[in-house]
Amino acid sequence: MTQLIPIFIGYDPRERAATNVLIDSLYQHSSQPIAVTPIVAEQLTGTFTRQRDPRQSTAFSFTRFLVPYLMGYQGWAMFMDCDMLCRGDIAALWALRDDRFAVMCTQHEHVPGEQVKFLGEVQSAYPKKNWSSLMLLNCSRCTALTPEYVNTASGLDLHRFHWLSGDEEIGAVPDRWNHLVDVQPAPQAPASEGGPALLHWTLGGPWFRDLRTMGGPLAAEWFGARDDAMRLWD
């Protein structure tokens, strides 16, 4: 039997449009069945109890680390931020999982030069910036991520993977699976020709009225994907 690919998406009510377009882009390109679960903090009553941190730019800054718990600490699962657009077959990313590692991610060297990002949110700089925005999680090896730990650990401890025994437990994913729009050089090729397969508007995306052109041609690509997802059938 073909295994469903469990994909958890960070949800922020300000980015509902981004979430919906991302979900559509995932199953439009996937060659395997996927099971998509947006992580809505308000639905985690009794599990996620921490108060919002002033440095927390999205509603899912911390809830992402509950994925192993939600999976019963069994099997593999994928997490991604909602501010993304899939252009390639997500099954190809799923096929990269390697049991030697507890977590696999794109290991960016992102040192932001700005202090503010979308909607005036604080832009924080720290080692392993954006590593946790796209993760393949080997859930049985992430048992340190209990609700108690996620509710109390510092943001730096969580996002810098201090809940692992060391960086040797982190495997690398090619950066075409987490292309940082307007941070990395603009793509020169489509996903089918080796270009980025997953676009990430980490600085804010075109679903925000004031950022409608963020990424230039990539913003137009996002609007095209939105129109395709919402098009009425003739």
Side-chain angles (χ1 to χ4, degrees):
M1 183 174 66
T2 301
Q3 180 188 11
L4 292 171
I5 302 174
I7 302 173
F8 292 81
I9 296 176
Y11 175 84
D12 189 304
R14 301 170 299 177
E15 299 186 278
R16 288 174 62 190
T19 302
N20 290 327
V21 174
L22 170 58
I23 292 172
D24 186 76
S25 70
L26 285 166
Y27 64 72
Q28 289 298 330
H29 291 98
S30 183
S31 62
Q32 294 183 26
I34 62 177
V36 179
T37 303
I39 305 177
V40 182
E42 290 75 15
Q43 295 174 351
L44 298 172
T45 304
T47 299
F48 184 69
T49 58
R50 72 186 294 161
Q51 297 298 308
R52 189 176 179 105
D53 189 305
R55 294 164 295 183
Q56 179 181 339
S57 62
T58 68
F60 52 87
S61 292
F62 301 115
T63 55
R64 72 188 71 207
F65 297 104
L66 289 171
V67 168
Y69 166 79
L70 296 173
M71 289 287 293
Y73 302 105
Q74 296 183 12
W76 283 79
M78 188 182 306
F79 171 85
M80 62 181 65
D81 287 4
C82 68
D83 51 356
M84 294 182 167
L85 181 70
C86 190
R87 318 162 93 206
D89 185 354
I90 202 67
L93 171 58
W94 184 243
L96 298 179
R97 62 198 191 283
D98 186 331
D99 286 329
R100 293 178 299 169
F101 303 111
V103 181
M104 300 180 69
C105 61
T106 299
Q107 300 180 7
H108 293 293
E109 294 289 343
H110 179 203
V111 181
E114 65 284 341
Q115 296 181 328
V116 177
K117 54 182 181 178
F118 60 88
L119 302 184
E121 295 288 359
V122 175
Q123 175 69 287
S124 300
Y126 52 85
K128 299 183 174 68
K129 178 75 173 177
N130 269 310
W131 287 27
S132 62
S133 60
L134 183 284
M135 297 183 286
L136 290 171
L137 294 153
N138 190 354
C139 296
S140 66
R141 294 181 56 178
C142 299
T143 54
L145 292 176
T146 64
E148 293 75 18
Y149 182 82
V150 174
N151 282 319
T152 58
S154 71
L156 286 178
D157 282 347
L158 287 164
H159 289 281
R160 292 169 66 181
F161 301 90
H162 286 178
W163 39 274
L164 295 173
S165 63
D167 285 355
E168 70 277 0
E169 290 198 80
I170 308 173
V173 167
D175 67 1
R176 71 186 300 261
W177 288 107
N178 194 349
H179 175 83
L180 305 180
V181 176
D182 278 5
V183 174
Q184 296 178 280
Q188 300 301 309
S192 59
E193 297 176 10
L198 196 62
L199 303 175
H200 181 191
W201 275 268
T202 184
L203 302 180
W207 47 90
F208 294 128
R209 193 173 301 278
D210 292 343
L211 298 174
R212 292 170 69 87
T213 61
M214 181 67 81
L218 299 182
E221 185 173 332
W222 185 87
F223 279 110
R226 185 199 65 171
D227 291 346
D228 284 345
M230 305 300 170
R231 179 170 287 118
L232 299 180
W233 191 264
D234 291 329

